Amino acid sequence: MTFRAVQLVSGWRLLSVLLLPVSLDAAGSALVGWPIFSALNAGAAPVTKYAAAILTVLIGVAVLESTIAYGVRVAAPYRPASAEVRV
């Protein structure tokens, strides 16, 4: 089985893979941390800061859950036959 990524990322483009984890980490941090960052730097009231903190946690949990669900969905067809549970 061949993957399209092998065709797209070959030769000198392979070096761009080194930047992928860093850029994804920065994007994820910006996505998840946006509410609390905005509340802290705007000088908001404490109630607003707590609401932003709760929203930040909820966004983080939603992103983590969707990432895990995607990983399970993608990996499901490629399980080896020996990994099947037989009842």
Side-chain angles (χ1 to χ4, degrees):
M1 174 176 13
T2 61
F3 295 100
R4 183 157 168 75
V6 174
Q7 298 167 355
L8 294 174
V9 187
S10 61
W12 65 271
R13 291 186 189 112
L14 189 60
L15 294 175
S16 67
V17 174
L18 296 175
L19 297 176
L20 192 61
V22 175
S23 60
L24 290 176
D25 180 46
S29 296
L31 170 72
V32 173
W34 171 73
I36 194 65
F37 177 81
S38 298
L40 290 174
N41 289 315
V47 173
T48 306
K49 291 178 185 177
Y50 283 113
I54 291 169
L55 183 59
T56 298
V57 170
L58 292 176
I59 291 172
V61 169
V63 168
L64 183 62
E65 191 275 330
S66 63
T67 303
I68 291 170
Y70 175 75
V72 168
R73 191 171 50 246
V74 168
Y78 302 111
R79 289 191 184 132
S82 61
E84 293 180 13
V85 177
R86 296 183 180 150
V87 181

